[in-house]
Amino acid sequence: FAPFVAFGDVFLASKYTDEKWEKAKRHYEKSIAGVEASVGTDLKRKVDSISGLTLLSSLRRYSNLLRRPSVRKVMQPVLDALEKAIVELLGDMEASVDNVSEDDKVNSITVARQVASKGRSIKESAREINLGGDVPGACDELIDKCGRFEKHTFSSWIEDAEDANATVGLNDQLMGIKDGLLEVNYD
């Protein structure tokens, strides 16, 4: 913290000392750039054998380090590969929603909700490590598609239930008590 010692009392900072403060900050940033690059190299070596969502969650723990320019520069090839892998994974997740059988309405809705939840989780993790590119947009598309699929499936389920009720001839109430006896109301 040597650059800041020359600054004096940090509590006496004002608009008149901003230039001096910024100069001390730049000097400090320059002095630790080598250490940050070394930390970035160590982090890259540590996560080199990890891939996919495991890598994303591991890097999430180091999100503060990834905000540092020197560390980010060293980790950029890993982050680019991760971005490409996540976009592919999101495409596979979208295909899994497309391939769900709409015959089983409850299962279809459950799958859509699970995939949307996973998409939100991936988006949040990617945001924390500042992973840009196509990831946020692909996550949003997946979440929207799952929402539309869920609404469509639920509407279809309700229509099927109403059609079944009309076919059976169900009145207002299915059962009722009349003259002390249980009466089932079918037409």
Side-chain angles (χ1 to χ4, degrees):
F1 298 105
F4 300 106
V5 171
F7 186 77
D9 191 0
V10 294
F11 295 111
L12 297 178
S14 69
K15 64 181 179 179
Y16 303 108
T17 59
D18 281 348
E19 185 178 324
K20 194 174 181 183
W21 177 262
E22 289 300 319
K23 184 179 178 184
K25 192 169 114 179
R26 282 191 303 274
H27 185 266
Y28 176 72
E29 295 285 333
K30 189 183 275 187
S31 70
I32 65 168
V35 174
E36 286 181 345
S38 176
V39 168
T41 303
D42 289 345
L43 180 59
K44 184 178 180 183
R45 193 176 312 117
K46 183 176 183 176
V47 299
D48 206 21
S49 62
I50 306 172
S51 64
L53 293 179
T54 308
L55 177 59
L56 182 64
S57 65
S58 294
L59 289 178
R60 190 175 183 182
R61 293 187 348 217
Y62 301 108
S63 61
N64 288 332
L65 284 175
L66 292 172
R67 288 189 187 104
R68 304 297 302 168
S70 300
V71 175
R72 184 95 183 172
K73 185 178 179 181
V74 172
M75 291 294 294
Q76 196 59 48
V78 174
L79 296 172
D80 291 343
L82 176 62
E83 179 184 334
K84 186 183 283 187
I86 288 176
V87 169
E88 286 178 19
L89 175 69
L90 291 171
D92 293 344
M93 291 169 67
E94 191 171 336
S96 73
V97 171
D98 290 338
N99 295 329
V100 171
S101 171
E102 289 189 40
D103 295 336
D104 185 0
K105 306 291 187 203
V106 175
N107 186 46
S108 299
I109 291 170
T110 303
V111 168
R113 286 183 178 179
Q114 288 173 341
V115 170
S117 175
K118 191 65 166 178
R120 282 188 288 277
S121 174
I122 290 171
K123 182 179 177 183
E124 177 63 25
S125 295
R127 185 192 59 77
E128 281 190 27
I129 66 169
N130 200 20
L131 193 64
D134 298 333
V135 174
C139 286
D140 288 338
E141 286 177 24
L142 177 66
I143 293 166
D144 290 344
K145 182 174 187 165
C146 288
R148 287 190 308 271
F149 180 79
E150 180 183 346
K151 286 178 184 174
H152 169 73
T153 305
F154 188 73
S155 297
S156 173
W157 189 16
I158 289 175
E159 288 173 11
D160 291 349
E162 288 173 349
D163 290 345
N165 287 347
T167 304
V168 172
L170 190 62
N171 287 332
D172 293 332
Q173 286 187 312
L174 178 61
M175 291 184 261
I177 298 178
K178 184 175 181 182
D179 298 327
L181 299 172
L182 179 64
E183 183 179 287
V184 179
N185 296 316
Y186 286 103
D187 286 340

